[in-house]
Amino acid sequence: MAALDCASALSDALLEHEFAPFFGTPCGILAPLYSRLEAAADLWTISREDNAVGVAAGAAMAGRSPVVLMQNSGLGQSVNALASLVVPYRIPMLLIISLRGIPPDFTTENIVMGRLTEPLLREAGIPTARLAEENLAAQTDWAGRLVVEDRRPAALLVPPALLGWQA
């Protein structure tokens, strides 16, 4: 499946599970998904990831099933908002996090967060799934069950190549 097809399939699956609204910061890896969501949904660009988490928490308190899109470097920016608000109060939101610092992205400034992303989320108690082309539907169903039905946070991790990003 081509990168744009993956972005379309992911966008469609998110909307089928009634995820909305979408908040995030721009990211090269997530750019194809951003384009699809801008065309099909309510996507708000927010300048800081921790602010996006806060706004998403408000949407969740209003009964919505929000999505926050960010790079894993932005996850570092958001740790306190997640650890002191989202996790202890089980605020339902889906985090879609691009994985910088893993192959094929070997940029020095991203390698540490590439190693820390999954352990950090695991230790915070946020269930994660690393998206794979062959499992997009099942992984989006999993996220829908956790966030929309069980009303708790979860994260989908996006490897750089999935949506066509190249070094």
Side-chain angles (χ1 to χ4, degrees):
M1 183 182 313
L4 290 177
D5 293 336
C6 280
S8 293
L10 181 55
S11 172
D12 292 347
L14 293 168
L15 295 172
E16 285 173 21
H17 284 286
E18 299 183 1
F19 282 106
F22 297 84
F23 305 101
T25 55
C27 167
I29 292 172
L30 297 176
L33 179 58
Y34 263 80
S35 294
R36 290 288 303 152
L37 291 172
E38 282 178 328
D42 195 11
L43 173 65
W44 296 83
T45 299
I46 297 182
S47 60
R48 287 177 46 122
E49 293 84 355
D50 55 345
N51 290 342
V53 168
V55 174
M61 301 309 262
R64 306 291 304 272
S65 298
V67 177
V68 177
L69 299 102
M70 68 175 82
Q71 286 187 14
N72 55 353
S73 60
L75 175 63
Q77 176 75 32
S78 302
V79 168
N80 190 51
L82 293 167
S84 64
L85 176 64
V86 173
V87 171
Y89 297 104
R90 282 186 58 153
I91 295 176
M93 68 178 63
L94 177 61
L95 306 172
I96 296 181
I97 303 170
S98 64
L99 292 172
R100 300 294 309 262
I102 68 164
D105 177 18
F106 295 106
T107 51
T108 303
E109 66 272 15
N110 293 317
I111 291 175
V112 172
M113 279 308 293
R115 285 194 310 256
L116 292 176
T117 299
E118 289 175 277
L120 190 151
L121 291 164
R122 183 177 49 252
E123 290 300 318
I126 298 174
T128 66
R130 189 182 286 210
L131 286 175
E133 181 179 320
E134 62 276 5
N135 295 329
L136 281 177
Q139 291 169 317
T140 310
D141 289 346
W142 169 84
R145 278 191 306 279
L146 288 176
V147 178
V148 178
E149 294 173 24
D150 295 348
R151 305 297 292 162
R152 58 184 287 201
L156 293 174
L157 307 178
V158 181
L162 182 71
L163 300 179
W165 187 89
Q166 298 178 12

